[in-house]
Amino acid sequence: MACPLGMARMTLPCRASTCDHLQCFDADLYLKMNEKKPKWVCPVCNKAAYYEHLFLDGFYIQLLLSPKFKSIATNDIILNNDASWEPVEETTLGVSDSEDDEDPLTIKNPPP
């Protein structure tokens, strides 16, 4: 749910009717960028995406406004065929404070 232009969470998800994909980009940022330097090219597929072809995506707007989505920290989701979704769980690598974890630098004796 991060905009491919600004890499921040979208506020107004849109796409062009000329595009074949479902991925959106943030309308506000896209319009501001084209106001300064008009290119009108979709940031997802590089097809022409003129102002008159843009539309706000109601599904993604509802998703962004949902309490479930507001409660997650990630912008990455998995969209299922039935229009349900789940957040992508982020895995982090690092040092654990748990004493149960095995020290990776410990030399192990082979079993007898």
Side-chain angles (χ1 to χ4, degrees):
M1 297 301 297
C3 175
L5 293 170
M7 302 312 289
R9 190 172 279 192
M10 292 182 278
T11 55
L12 293 172
C14 80
R15 54 191 160 99
S17 59
T18 53
C19 298
D20 298 323
H21 54 82
L22 296 176
Q23 185 177 352
C24 293
F25 47 89
D26 190 72
D28 186 47
L29 182 57
Y30 183 73
L31 293 174
K32 286 178 181 175
M33 290 178 75
N34 280 288
E35 183 180 47
K36 292 181 181 181
K37 191 173 182 181
K39 289 192 177 186
W40 302 104
V41 174
C42 173
V44 177
C45 68
N46 293 320
K47 287 185 179 178
Y50 297 111
Y51 177 81
E52 58 270 14
H53 297 142
L54 299 179
F55 67 94
L56 296 177
D57 191 303
F59 175 79
Y60 283 104
I61 290 173
Q62 286 183 339
L63 193 149
L64 285 168
L65 296 174
S66 73
K68 179 181 173 184
F69 187 75
K70 288 181 178 182
S71 70
I72 62 174
T74 183
N75 285 324
D76 299 325
I77 63 168
I78 296 171
L79 184 58
N80 301 313
N81 290 337
D82 65 355
S84 64
W85 61 274
E86 298 100 37
V88 173
E89 298 296 328
E90 294 182 18
T91 57
T92 57
L93 300 175
V95 178
S96 172
D97 291 336
S98 173
E99 292 181 17
D100 296 338
D101 290 342
E102 198 174 293
D103 184 355
L105 300 177
T106 302
I107 299 174
K108 295 179 185 177
N109 294 325

